[in-house]
Amino acid sequence: MALNRDFVGRASAPSPPYEVSRVKIKEFAAAIGDNNPVYRDREAAQAAGHPDVIAPPTFPIVFSLSGGSILADPELGLNFAMVVHGEQRFEYHRPIHAGDELVSVSTVTDIRSVGRNELITVRSDVTTVDGESVCTTYNTIVERGGAS
């Protein structure tokens, strides 16, 4: 079954605030196998000019597609059992630091069929709770066997 193309251009409500902690950054860095000390050691991060440890560039995937996600709307028709990751990219305005409280708004920017698959692209604008722009994420998700 094809995804509901009426969702192109539709945005989610802002997500609940996500509090970035040193522990979460350290766990994420360990999970991706990145031993950069600016992700683990406050003094190393401060020596590099940051107020606290910073998050690896792909860290926003932890929260940017969660709370308020438009992907969970049943009217979209996304079958999560058939979903695989397609691609992702990030555009930063500033690094994410421990102590940040971030919210995201996700917008469906494209839905297209490729063979028997449906591809949905979502842009998430990530800001602080005070409205400071932090980054924009772009994620393409593939629903296998969706189109006929």
Side-chain angles (χ1 to χ4, degrees):
M1 185 170 138
L3 296 176
N4 183 346
R5 274 135 174 91
D6 289 341
F7 273 67
V8 174
R10 194 176 296 186
S12 70
S15 67
Y18 179 87
E19 187 174 340
V20 180
S21 71
R22 288 186 195 124
V23 170
K24 290 294 182 189
I25 291 172
K26 184 177 180 179
E27 290 172 347
F28 188 84
I32 63 171
D34 195 326
N35 294 319
N36 189 327
V38 298
Y39 304 148
R40 302 163 185 277
D41 183 305
R42 186 175 187 191
E43 288 78 25
Q46 288 174 331
H50 304 289
D52 206 324
V53 295
I54 62 170
T58 55
F59 184 81
I61 200 65
V62 170
F63 60 87
S64 64
L65 289 178
S66 58
S69 178
I70 201 159
L71 298 176
D73 189 322
E75 290 184 25
L76 174 61
L78 186 63
N79 179 353
F80 283 97
M82 300 302 289
V83 167
V84 295
H85 177 76
E87 64 179 288
Q88 64 186 14
R89 69 184 171 90
F90 304 85
E91 293 176 359
Y92 273 86
H93 307 285
R94 70 153 175 89
I96 293 174
H97 305 110
D100 279 340
E101 286 187 73
L102 304 175
V103 296
S104 64
V105 173
S106 299
T107 303
V108 175
T109 59
D110 188 42
I111 298 174
R112 66 187 185 283
S113 299
V114 177
R116 292 185 39 82
N117 299 317
E118 291 278 278
L119 280 68
I120 182 169
T121 303
V122 178
R123 181 189 79 234
S124 296
D125 297 302
V126 178
T127 64
T128 65
V129 292
D130 295 326
E132 178 189 4
S133 183
V134 175
C135 70
T136 304
T137 72
Y138 300 87
N139 293 283
T140 299
I141 298 159
V142 179
E143 182 187 64
R144 296 172 291 135
S148 50

